């Protein structure tokens, strides 16, 4: 066990360098086998990294508690280390590569003394996809190793795919917990070197280097150079009773509904309709020979938000996490099961909260952290799409942008064309959530849901999107949705979840050229009669009008916010987008 050394000399040399620096007690070369996983799970329980849950209730399930100072992504300590600050751009935290390497190497010196260093080979993307990438993550965290096996195609097949050629391209990821000290926590990206170094954290997006670090920040940098897209998007399939099938990709910011939308169950009267999941967080997309956009999900699992997940809101997620799941920062019940706010049924009379303290329904603290997560293999999803492993990916009919906006943004609207759609994505905004440290509920601009994940200059990223549009002879239609608009009392106007199918149906019908809409200053919006409202409960005609309304005063404010955002990115905003902004202003004034 632990002897699965890859043949590639470049990998061996690099691992040796990291070993010389960090001085681990031993090296464990992972092969991704079930035996290895069983052994490491046992070790993790023995060391207190994981708690084994009640195996009758939740076979193969474990609970991890991260350090309470370490429960979310840390954007202010996430660095893009390009040769010039200009390349990282105004929305990233930049640092000089040489200085940062030297600072990190200082912290890593002897950091693994007395510990095991794991070498985790993995593939992102369907193994035969031209977009597939090999990475290695070196880590001193068992939680990372075990999570990487869920979240990626991890193991010996990655080394086989890489082969022996010394110049074969692979991502070099180094992670060390150090002393899990927020003052020595840095998530650093070196796009030019295809390298990542992460120290001082043991939490999700900071340490599963395959995910946000490689599949978004580094991949977006490569995608711009190579002419494809790496996006913070779910991918779902919709099949009608007639057998028409469409795929849709949607970018919503962190904790704004991607996982839920990707596996939604339509209302009862959608007899014969099927929703299937390709991915719930990340899409890699390239242009096909037919001029359409084709998407793959680079991941192998879901690292999903737990609170609010129930058999009522997301039955497919609930069924996925019945087994083989690593829970992080949820509550532990007295019978060895897990609990969280928003789960079905009554709260337990007693539990151990995410910090490890006694909890009762009278406690003021939450039992589960608002950013508590599950890591579950996608194979557990009852509605996994049969084409999830296809090398070519699936053709995308529509791209949806969306945010968490309590006002201004209608339930849904369609962009007039690709350029207008890119503008809508570029200026989209959302209330911040617990997925990153910092204030929650503050509206901020989050272009294409990529603000924390774009690995290069955001102006160049917009330009790249415009260029891709010019190459697509058969581009997806672009939409914007908002499930989170509220009434004057602060209640959601829209029931959301499964009822989002009604909006998706309007979108799909539009792709088929058959749904009605009204042209407004901001885009094409369905009238109430254009939406399927059969059996829709709890939405009065007045509420529906409010959901679909374009309020001139709200849009006046919105436009000012969009202008301010572009001004903050000057001078690198593409002319076309400035033109779009001007056209929006003219339409609003009319
Ligand atoms: P990341 O994994 O952080 O990228 O998030 P995500 O975009 O996948 O978000 P997710 O689907 O996990 O949803 C986050 C939270 O929003 C959960 O608490 C959901 O219950 C809630 N949510 C999701 N969809 C809806 C919806 O349609 N309406 C309302 N009101 N809440 C929703
Ligand atoms: C997000 O924050 O968008 C996530 C969770 O998907 S993490 O992997 O922690 O970034
Ligand atoms: Mn995400």
């Amino acid at each position: 066990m632990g002897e699965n050394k890859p043949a590639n000399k470049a990998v061996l040399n690099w691992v040796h360098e990291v070993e010389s620096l960090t001085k681990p007690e031993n090296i464990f070369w992972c092969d991704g086998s079930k035996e290895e996983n069983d052994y490491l799970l046992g070790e993790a329980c023995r060391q207190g990294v994981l708690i084994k849950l009640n195996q009758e209730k939740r076979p193969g399930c474990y609970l991890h508690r991260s350090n309470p100072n370490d429960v979310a992504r840390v954007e202010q300590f996430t660095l893009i280390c390009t040769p010039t600050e200009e390349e990282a751009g105004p929305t990233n935290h930049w640092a000089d590569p040489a200085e940062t390497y030297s600072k990190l190497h200082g912290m890593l010196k002897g950091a693994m003394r007395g510990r095991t260093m794991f070498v985790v080979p993995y593939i992102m993307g369907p193994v035969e996809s031209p977009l597939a990438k090999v990475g290695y993550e070196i880590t001193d965290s068992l939680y990372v190793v075990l999570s990487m096996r869920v979240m990626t195609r991890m193991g010996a097949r990655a080394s086989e795919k890489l082969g022996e050629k010394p110049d074969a391209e692979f991502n070099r990821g180094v992670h060390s917990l150090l002393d899990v000290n927020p003052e020595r926590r840095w998530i650093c990206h070196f796009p030019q070197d295809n390298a990542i170094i992460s120290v001082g954290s043991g939490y999700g997006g900071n340490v599963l280097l395959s995910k946000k670090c490689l599949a978004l920040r580094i991949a977006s940098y490569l995608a711009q150079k190579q002419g494809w897209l790496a996006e913070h998007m779910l991918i779902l399939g919709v099949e009608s009773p007639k057998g028409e099938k469409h795929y849709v990709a949607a970018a919503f910011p962190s904790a704004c509904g991607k996982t839920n939308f990707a596996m939604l169950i339509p209302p009862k009267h959608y007899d014969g309709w099927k929703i299937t999941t390709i991915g719930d967080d990340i899409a890699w997309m390239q242009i096909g020979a037919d001029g359409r956009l084709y998407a793959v999900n680079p991941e192998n699992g879901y690292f999903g938000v737990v609170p609010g997940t129930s058999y009522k809101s997301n039955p497919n997620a609930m069924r996925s996490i019945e087994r083989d799941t690593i829970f992080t920062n949820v509550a532990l019940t007295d019978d060895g099961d897990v609990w969280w706010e928003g789960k079905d049924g009554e709260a337990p009379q007693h539990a151990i909260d995410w910090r490890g303290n006694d909890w009762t329904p009278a406690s003021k603290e939450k039992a589960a952290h608002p950013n508590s997560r599950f890591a579950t293999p996608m194979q557990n999803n009852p509605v996994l799409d049969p084409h999830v492993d296809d090398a070519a990916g699936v053709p995308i009919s529509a791209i949806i942008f969306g945010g968490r906006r309590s006002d201004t943004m209608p339930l849904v609207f369609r962009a007039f064309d690709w350029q207008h759609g890119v503008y809508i994505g570029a200026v989209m905004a959302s209330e911040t959530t617990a997925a990153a440290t910092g204030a929650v509920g503050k509206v901020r601009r989050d272009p294409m849901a990529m603000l924390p994940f774009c690995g290069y200059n955001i102006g160049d990223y917009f330009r790249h999107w415009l260029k891709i549009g010019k190459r697509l002879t058969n581009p997806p239609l672009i939409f914007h949705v908002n499930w989170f608009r509220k009434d004057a009392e602060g209640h959601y106007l829209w029931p959301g979840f499964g009822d989002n199918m009604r909006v998706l149906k309007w979108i799909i019908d539009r792709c088929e050229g058959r749904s009605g809409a009204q042209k407004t200053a901001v885009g094409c919006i369905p009238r109430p009669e254009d939406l399927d409202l059969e059996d829709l409960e709890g939405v009065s005609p007045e509420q529906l009008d409010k959901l679909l309304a374009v309020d001139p005063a709200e849009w006046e404010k919105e436009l000012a916010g969009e202008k301010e955002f572009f001004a903050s990115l000057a001078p690198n905003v593409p002319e076309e987008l400035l033109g779009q902004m001007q056209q929006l202003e003219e339409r609003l004034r009319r």
Side-chain angles (χ1 to χ4, degrees):
M1 196 106 47
E3 304 288 331
N4 180 53
K5 265 195 198 186
N8 191 294
K9 294 255 165 34
V11 177
L12 296 174
N13 289 341
W14 164 68
V15 172
H16 183 69
E17 277 168 31
V18 178
E19 179 194 11
S20 310
L21 178 66
T22 59
K23 301 272 191 284
E25 181 155 318
N26 55 315
I27 304 186
F28 190 107
W29 303 85
C30 297
D31 65 11
S33 65
K34 182 172 184 309
E35 297 69 46
E36 173 183 281
N37 196 54
D38 290 344
Y39 168 75
L40 295 176
L41 283 167
E43 273 301 292
C45 291
R46 202 177 58 75
Q47 295 178 24
V49 172
L50 293 183
I51 296 167
K52 195 175 197 164
L53 295 172
N54 182 328
Q55 295 297 296
E56 260 149 49
K57 298 201 164 189
R58 279 189 201 266
C61 292
Y62 295 81
L63 169 64
H64 173 73
R65 294 194 192 113
S66 70
N67 190 311
N69 77 28
D70 184 30
V71 294
R73 283 183 293 101
V74 283
E75 295 179 358
Q76 65 279 32
F77 305 122
T78 297
L79 308 180
I80 302 294
C81 305
T82 41
T84 66
E85 186 164 2
E86 171 66 20
E87 274 168 279
T91 56
N92 279 312
H93 299 285
W94 173 82
D96 177 75
E99 277 172 28
T100 309
Y101 275 128
S102 137
K103 179 172 88 175
L104 291 166
H105 288 167
M107 291 183 199
L108 284 168
K109 209 166 184 181
M112 298 189 190
R113 245 188 208 114
R115 303 174 61 83
T116 299
M117 177 172 111
F118 297 92
V119 183
V120 182
Y122 64 92
I123 302 171
M124 297 305 276
V127 180
E128 299 304 329
S129 164
L131 293 178
K133 309 233 165 328
V134 172
Y136 286 80
E137 178 164 352
I138 294 177
T139 177
D140 55 6
S141 158
L142 265 169
Y143 170 74
V144 168
V145 179
L146 292 162
S147 301
M148 287 294 283
R149 184 163 184 271
V150 174
M151 295 303 300
T152 71
R153 292 165 175 87
M154 184 268 238
R157 59 187 159 161
S159 298
E160 277 157 33
K161 182 170 170 68
L162 185 71
E164 295 188 26
K165 285 208 193 93
D167 60 346
E169 191 60 29
F170 67 96
N171 180 267
R172 295 160 157 80
V174 177
H175 165 248
S176 176
L177 292 163
L178 305 184
D179 53 351
V180 196
N181 178 347
E183 282 170 20
R184 304 206 303 153
R185 183 168 296 155
W186 297 102
I187 322 301
C188 304
H189 305 72
F190 304 88
Q192 274 80 0
D193 302 339
N194 196 5
I196 306 157
I197 301 180
S198 164
V199 293
S201 172
Y203 188 80
N206 297 330
V207 299
L208 307 177
L209 302 184
S210 56
K211 194 172 175 62
K212 302 297 158 129
C213 301
L214 171 55
L216 287 179
R217 298 196 191 94
I218 300 271
S220 63
Y221 169 89
L222 294 173
Q224 188 227 8
K225 301 252 178 276
Q226 300 165 357
W228 53 283
L229 294 169
E231 301 297 329
H232 192 202
M233 289 180 178
L234 68 95
I235 310 159
L236 63 78
V238 201
E239 193 176 333
S240 76
K242 284 187 240 145
E244 291 168 348
K245 186 152 185 187
H246 287 278
Y247 288 95
V248 164
F252 310 153
S254 302
C256 290
K258 289 183 300 301
T259 303
N260 279 269
F261 196 46
M263 39 178 87
L264 77 79
I265 295 186
K268 274 208 185 65
H269 67 283
Y270 278 80
D271 229 11
W273 286 80
K274 267 190 252 159
I275 302 293
T276 49
T277 316
I278 293 279
D280 83 323
D281 198 47
I282 299 177
W284 285 354
M285 302 190 284
Q286 61 178 340
I287 302 172
D290 57 0
R292 298 185 75 183
L293 200 54
Y294 283 78
V296 298
N297 171 14
E299 300 191 277
N300 183 66
Y302 310 134
F303 187 61
V305 174
V306 177
T309 307
S310 68
Y311 284 101
K312 187 160 174 283
S313 65
N314 192 348
N316 286 320
M318 288 301 284
R319 287 177 58 193
S320 303
I321 64 181
E322 283 170 0
R323 57 201 152 89
D324 317 320
T325 298
I326 301 173
F327 291 90
T328 301
N329 294 340
V330 296
L332 176 66
T333 62
D334 294 345
D335 59 352
D337 199 358
V338 276
W339 191 81
W340 53 82
E341 280 74 17
K343 197 184 179 204
D344 311 79
E346 297 276 296
Q349 284 312 299
H350 174 263
I352 305 294
D353 72 12
W354 67 274
R355 287 187 172 91
N357 299 326
D358 283 307
W359 184 93
T360 72
S363 300
K364 285 201 186 66
E365 306 280 337
K366 288 216 177 346
H369 188 275
N371 191 36
S372 52
R373 297 264 167 175
F374 57 76
T376 198
M378 66 178 179
Q379 292 78 13
N380 278 10
N381 179 359
V383 298
L384 186 67
D385 191 274
H387 296 289
V388 71
D389 284 315
D390 285 11
V394 296
I396 299 297
S397 300
I399 287 176
I400 309 176
F401 295 118
R404 202 179 261 274
R405 294 292 296 270
S406 50
D407 51 41
T408 316
M409 287 294 154
L411 179 63
V412 58
F413 59 98
R414 178 173 62 82
F416 301 124
D417 54 28
W418 182 270
Q419 287 204 359
H420 181 223
V422 172
Y423 175 76
I424 289 168
V427 297
M428 73 185 244
S430 192
E431 289 154 22
T432 50
T433 65
T437 55
V440 168
K442 245 185 91 212
V443 176
R444 70 167 183 186
R445 299 288 144 189
D446 188 348
M448 279 104 169
M450 284 287 279
L451 181 74
F453 308 121
C454 183
Y456 63 102
N457 191 303
I458 201 85
D460 293 335
Y461 170 76
F462 296 157
R463 213 163 272 115
H464 181 52
W465 262 82
L466 292 166
K467 250 198 219 159
I468 292 276
K470 295 201 176 88
R471 288 172 51 206
L472 288 167
T473 49
N474 199 349
L477 298 181
I478 300 183
F479 298 81
H480 188 284
V481 301
N482 178 21
W483 315 140
F484 301 95
R485 201 164 182 175
K486 289 180 178 168
D487 65 15
E489 281 76 52
H491 302 121
Y492 289 125
L493 286 160
W494 181 248
F497 302 101
D499 283 307
N500 294 336
M501 181 67 203
R502 300 168 191 276
V503 173
L504 184 57
K505 167 107 182 350
W506 181 78
I507 289 172
I508 293 306
D509 280 344
R510 190 64 245 167
C511 297
E512 293 276 352
R514 57 183 178 225
S515 55
Q518 181 183 15
K519 197 171 168 188
T520 76
V522 308
C524 296
I525 303 185
R527 295 154 298 190
E529 63 267 32
D530 297 321
L531 284 174
D532 164 39
L533 302 174
E534 193 179 331
D535 294 337
L536 176 62
E537 277 170 38
V539 184
S540 65
E542 294 73 41
Q543 276 178 308
L544 196 62
D545 286 343
K546 187 108 219 290
L547 275 162
L548 299 172
V550 175
D551 180 291
E554 287 180 343
W555 274 89
E556 195 64 39
K557 229 177 120 199
E558 170 65 19
L559 181 66
E562 294 176 6
K563 280 188 179 170
E564 195 186 325
F565 179 54
F566 272 10
S568 76
L569 307 181
N572 203 19
V573 178
E575 276 304 316
E576 288 108 308
L577 296 190
L578 294 171
Q580 285 293 333
M581 178 175 278
Q582 193 167 354
Q583 288 173 40
L584 171 64
E585 178 157 22
E586 282 160 16
R587 290 194 304 267
L588 285 169
R589 293 278 136 83
R590 236 178 274 142

